[in-house]
Structure formats: C-alpha cells, structure tokens
C-alpha cells in the first residue's frame, strides 16, 4: 500500500485528523508536554504492536492502528501525567487488542480499554486536552468538522447519531426532572470529551457493528450506560464503560448469531426425519 | 452498508443540536449556581464575653493593651473557602489559631477526579503554613482547586 492509498483509507483519515488536533491543541495551549506525550504514547503502542505481531507471526505488520491508539491516549491523558504512565497505558491498550480477540478481531476498543484501566490502576488524570477541553469554546468547531469527515468516511452516521441523540435526550431528562447534575456533561470540557469520544472512538471499525440497525442499537446502548454511570457516579469513566459494555454486547450477539447459523442442518429437521 | 443520505445527515444533526440546546438551557441555572458558599466563616472563638468576667482574662486584656506587638495577620477561627474550575469544585475548612494554620480539612469534594489524589495536601498546607503545595502529578485540576479553596479561606480570615 502506497502512502497516497493509505492516506485515503479510514485509518489514514483518522490518523491525519487526530495528528492535526495534537498540533493545534499543543500550539494553542503553549505546552509542548502534549507533543512529548504523543511521541511516548505512539512509540510505546507501535513497539508493543510490532512485538505482538512478530510473536503471532502476523503477515500485516503496518502499525497504523497502534499509531491511532497511541495518539488517542495521548490526547486524552492529562499533560501532567508522568511519561511511564502514558507508555504503560498505550502498552495495555495494544496488549488488549492482541489478547482479547474474537474471530481475529479485538473485542474492546483498545484506546478506551487502556484509558479505563489507566484510571483504575494508575489513577491517571484525564483532561481530554486534545479535544480542546481547556481552550476557547469555538474550537469545538474543529471537532465537528473532523468528526463529520471521519464519520462519513467510515460510514458510521447511524451509530454516531443514535449515540449523541440518546445521550443528549437522557441528559436533558436528567436536568429537566432534577435527577442529577447534568450541567457539567453538557459544557466544556465534558462536551468536548463526548464529541471527541463519539466521533473518534465510537467509530472504530473492528470493534463496532457494520449494519445500520446494529449500529443504532450499539449507539443507544453506549449512551444509556454512559449517561447512567455519569448520573450515578460522576467521574470520568462513564463514556469508556458505556463503549466497553457495548463492545461486549456486540461480540456476544455475534457469537449467538454465529451459533444459530452454524447449527447442523439435521438438528433443524423435524424429529421424525432424524436418524 | 449504503452511505447515509445527506438530507438525513442534516436532519439528524439538526434534531441532535435542538436536543442538546434544550438540555443546555434546562441546566443553565444549575451551571450558574455556585454549588457551595464562598467565604463562610464557621466560628470565631475570640474574646468571649463570659470569659471577660474572669479576673485573669481581664488581666490578660490589660497586658495585651500594653504589649507592643505587630497586628496579627489572621483572625482566630475556622474558615471555609471554595475553589472551582471546569472540572468541579472543592470546599475546605481551615482552622487558624494565633496566626498559624492548625488544621485543614476537605469538607466537600465535587471534582470529576478521585478525592484520594489530593489526600496528602491538607497536611502539606499545615506543614508549609501556606496554600502553596506541590502539584500532584495527574491531578493538576484538583490541586489548583484545592489551592484556590485554601487561598479563599485564608483571605476571609485575614485581619483587616
């Protein structure tokens, strides 16, 4: 695959857009720590991915997926996070991609898995600085432009719309009926996090369904779990928990339908015709 | 799967924007309302009237009148202060006695991070006798909110 071909692929699009975000956010914040984190996270992710590829004797060794995972992690983790934690988070994400698989595809979104475990294991702070969470509100326009381009390229509008639609309806209901404090989730930096998550993590092709109906159900499930966790516990894990549970649901559903499809024909026959 | 029709994309985007706007304006009062009061003075155990009936206290007052000492920086008592940023808010109670910070407690923690991140900061304030604490790696926002809260409490305790 040539560079030109790769740049037009879904992974190429995502890689270019989030690299642009890394540069824009670093320049706007006048902080080069994010760039260093980007290099550390991508370096660790690519190294672990190549190592896992060699161990599994994989034919395709292009670590573009690991590059994206590393960048996503760097853009979410706070720039005050120590670099060993950044590297470890990337490594966990890539290991999960190779170990937790179903039909040669990762079960969980690697970046979300790594970031969730990073909070639980290292207590890492996540600022979503790469989603312009600490910058001017108008910079959300960058997220929307990049997000629509990516979503269109990977054909995930049903999933993204069902997620955002359900998530905002639930937050509206929480706010309207005073069931909790939904105000933070609808404002920066949390709205930046939700947009970045919806456009760049939820659209991951290997860990999400392809059919329109399945995409809609998937998006609704992520939003329901995410909003419930946010309302009950607050914190910053709500989006990751929603996505990882929906990933699990997607695999279980695939397994169930595969079992039904693979059922021997003899079992489907009337009792009278069985041996 | 076929590409989604552009008309549907526009329609869905508009609907989602409308729902978002409804949620935003519904929660506007919650967002504008400070979750905790600023500059609340809990107690000021200064010269109690009952104590002034005691001759020894009167003597003490007399002595103080004639003792040339610099004016104290803070009033004795327990003061609360609040620090907040985009990631939540922290309220602290700072106890001051004889111009010294004797105790600091996090009385309300409403950050979107773990409270354990800043568990060591109250004792650090007592040790340093200042709101200046080390920046906890990975908990910059909580550290900043905590410092602001202590600063807030100290400014309300200032003897003006």
């Amino acid at each position: 695959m040539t560079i030109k071909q790769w740049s037009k692929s879904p992974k190429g699009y995502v890689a270019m857009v989030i690299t642009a975000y890394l540069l824009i956010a670093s320049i706007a914040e006048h902080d080069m720590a994010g760039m260093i984190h980007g290099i550390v996270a991508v370096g660790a992710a690519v190294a672990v991915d190549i190592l896992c590829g060699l161990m599994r004797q994989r034919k395709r060794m292009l670590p573009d997926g690991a590059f994206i995972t590393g960048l996503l992690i760097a853009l979410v983790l706070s720039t005050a996070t120590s670099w060993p934690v950044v590297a470890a988070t990337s490594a966990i994400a890539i290991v999960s991609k190779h170990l937790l698989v179903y039909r040669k595809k990762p079960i969980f979104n690697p970046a979300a898995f790594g970031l969730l475990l990073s909070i639980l294991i290292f207590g890492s702070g996540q600022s979503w600085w790469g989603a312009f969470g600490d910058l001017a509100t108008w910079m959300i326009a960058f997220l929307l432009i990049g997000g629509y381009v990516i979503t269109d390229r990977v054909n995930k509008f049903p999933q993204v719309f069902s997620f955002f639609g359900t998530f905002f309806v639930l937050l509206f209901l929480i706010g309207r009926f005073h069931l909790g404090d939904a105000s933070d989730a609808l404002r920066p930096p949390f709205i930046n996090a939700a947009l970045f998550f919806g456009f760049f993590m939820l659209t991951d092709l290997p860990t999400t369904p392809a059919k329109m109906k399945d995409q809609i159900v998937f998006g609704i499930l992520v939003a329901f779990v995410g909003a419930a966790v946010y309302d009950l516990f607050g914190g910053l894990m709500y989006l990751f928990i929603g996505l990882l549970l929906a990933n699990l649901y997607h695999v279980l559903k695939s397994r169930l339908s595969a079992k039904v499809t693979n059922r021997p024909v003899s079992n489907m026959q009337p009792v009278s015709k069985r041996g | 799967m076929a590409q989604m029709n552009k008309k549907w994309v526009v329609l869905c985007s508009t609907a989602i924007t409308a729902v978002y706007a409804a949620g935003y304006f519904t929660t506007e009062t919650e967002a504008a309302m400070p979750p905790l009061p600023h500059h609340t003075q809990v107690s000021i155990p200064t010269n109690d009237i009952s104590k002034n009936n005691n001759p020894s206290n009167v003597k003490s007052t007399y002595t103080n009148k004639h003792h040339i000492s610099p004016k104290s920086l803070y009033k004795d008592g327990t003061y609360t202060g609040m620090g907040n940023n985009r990631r939540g808010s922290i309220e602290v109670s700072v106890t001051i006695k004889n111009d010294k910070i004797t105790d600091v407690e996090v009385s309300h923690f409403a950050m979107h991070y773990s409270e354990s991140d800043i568990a060591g900061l109250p004792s650090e304030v007592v040790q340093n006798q200042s709101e200046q604490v080390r920046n906890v790696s990975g908990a910059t926002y909580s550290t900043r909110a905590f410092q602001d809260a202590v600063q807030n409490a100290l400014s309300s305790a200032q003897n003006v």
Side-chain angles (χ1 to χ4, degrees):
Chain A
M1 186 189 278
T2 64
I3 292 176
K4 199 178 174 183
Q5 282 173 322
W6 178 81
S7 67
K8 286 180 181 175
S9 70
K11 280 183 180 172
Y13 265 60
V14 176
M16 284 189 292
V17 171
I18 58 176
T19 305
Y21 288 172
L22 179 88
L23 297 172
I24 294 167
S26 295
I27 293 165
E29 291 201 359
H30 305 287
D31 185 6
M32 288 302 113
M35 296 270 246
I36 297 165
H37 276 192
I39 294 165
V40 170
V42 168
V46 167
V48 174
D49 195 46
I50 291 173
L51 198 69
C52 290
L54 288 171
M55 284 166 71
R56 295 175 67 198
Q57 295 174 325
R58 210 172 50 179
K59 282 180 186 173
R60 188 182 185 274
M61 291 296 284
L62 189 67
D64 49 355
F67 177 87
I68 293 167
T69 301
L71 266 188
L72 288 173
I73 287 168
L75 292 173
V76 173
L77 284 180
S78 162
T79 50
T81 310
S82 64
W83 70 264
V85 170
V86 177
T89 305
S90 282
I92 290 169
I94 301 302
V95 167
S96 82
K97 181 179 143 181
H98 289 277
L99 281 185
L100 305 172
V101 290
Y102 174 68
R103 288 184 170 180
K104 295 183 181 176
K105 281 185 179 180
I107 296 172
F108 299 110
N109 181 298
F113 188 86
L115 287 164
L116 181 68
L117 282 197
S118 184
I119 298 175
L120 299 172
I121 299 171
F122 310 115
S124 64
Q126 305 191 350
S127 68
W128 298 79
W129 68 276
F132 317 115
D134 293 315
L135 297 167
T137 311
W138 66 264
M139 291 183 89
I140 285 177
F142 288 128
L143 290 179
L144 294 173
I145 295 165
Y148 269 75
V149 169
I150 298 300
T151 310
D152 186 42
R153 182 67 188 84
V154 297
N155 209 5
K156 288 281 180 190
F157 273 121
Q159 192 166 290
V160 168
F161 284 154
S162 65
F163 165 70
F164 284 130
T166 312
F167 191 58
F168 293 148
V169 165
L170 290 172
L171 289 176
F172 166 73
L173 293 173
I174 290 169
R176 179 71 186 81
F177 297 105
H178 306 289
L179 302 170
D181 182 12
S183 60
D184 280 352
L186 292 163
R187 286 167 178 79
F190 300 95
I191 187 63
N192 302 55
L195 290 171
F196 186 86
F197 169 85
F199 286 129
F200 300 100
M201 288 188 178
L202 200 67
T203 51
D204 180 41
L205 288 172
T207 55
T208 54
K211 288 178 187 168
M212 184 188 275
K213 191 184 149 197
D214 294 339
Q215 282 194 33
I216 293 170
V217 173
F218 190 92
I220 291 171
L221 186 61
V222 176
F224 255 104
V225 176
V229 173
Y230 173 83
D231 192 40
L232 293 172
F233 307 106
L236 291 165
M237 296 189 277
Y238 57 100
L239 294 169
F240 302 139
I241 294 172
L243 179 54
L244 297 178
L245 280 179
N247 285 153
L248 204 59
Y249 160 79
H250 171 54
V251 166
L252 291 175
K253 192 174 172 287
S254 303
R255 276 190 74 168
L256 208 67
S257 54
K259 270 184 186 174
V260 172
T261 316
N262 296 334
R263 193 179 288 171
V265 180
S266 57
N267 288 349
M268 313 272 278
Q269 287 173 346
V271 179
S272 58
K273 286 193 177 180
R274 283 185 202 159
Chain B
M1 194 189 88
Q3 285 274 333
M4 198 173 185
N5 189 308
K6 280 190 179 154
K7 277 181 190 171
W8 276 106
V9 172
V10 174
L11 202 69
C12 290
S13 303
T14 311
I16 289 168
T17 309
V19 174
Y20 170 76
Y24 187 94
F25 290 114
T26 303
T27 56
E28 204 164 27
T29 44
E30 282 171 43
M33 204 163 47
L36 294 161
H38 288 259
H39 297 283
T40 309
Q41 191 175 320
V42 175
S43 65
I44 312 172
T46 47
N47 297 330
D48 199 318
I49 298 166
S50 62
K51 281 182 185 172
N52 282 343
N53 295 332
N54 187 330
S56 62
N57 282 335
V58 175
K59 193 181 174 184
S60 158
T61 313
Y62 178 79
T63 314
N64 281 344
K65 271 183 184 174
H66 290 86
H67 181 71
I68 303 163
S69 62
K71 191 184 173 188
S72 62
L73 192 61
Y74 299 113
K75 292 174 277 185
D76 284 358
T78 303
Y79 299 84
T80 62
M82 199 184 77
N84 56 3
N85 53 44
R86 282 178 165 188
R87 264 95 178 165
S89 62
I90 294 177
E91 187 197 60
V92 295
S93 301
V94 178
T95 306
I96 294 167
K97 202 172 181 186
N98 299 329
D99 256 1
K100 280 198 168 180
I101 302 170
T102 56
D103 188 36
V104 177
E105 270 178 37
V106 176
S107 46
H108 189 81
F109 188 87
M111 298 294 293
H112 286 267
Y113 298 101
S114 169
E115 190 172 353
S116 60
D117 291 346
I118 58 151
L121 298 189
S123 57
E124 217 176 303
V125 171
V126 176
Q127 201 179 347
N128 298 349
Q129 289 296 305
S130 156
E131 79 279 6
Q132 294 303 322
V133 288
R134 78 201 146 83
N135 188 16
V136 182
S137 174
T140 318
Y141 299 99
S142 297
T143 308
R144 275 187 215 154
F146 175 81
Q147 283 180 317
D148 291 346
V150 174
Q151 173 68 55
N152 192 206
L154 290 178
S155 55
S156 59
Q158 246 168 6
N159 207 355
V160 281

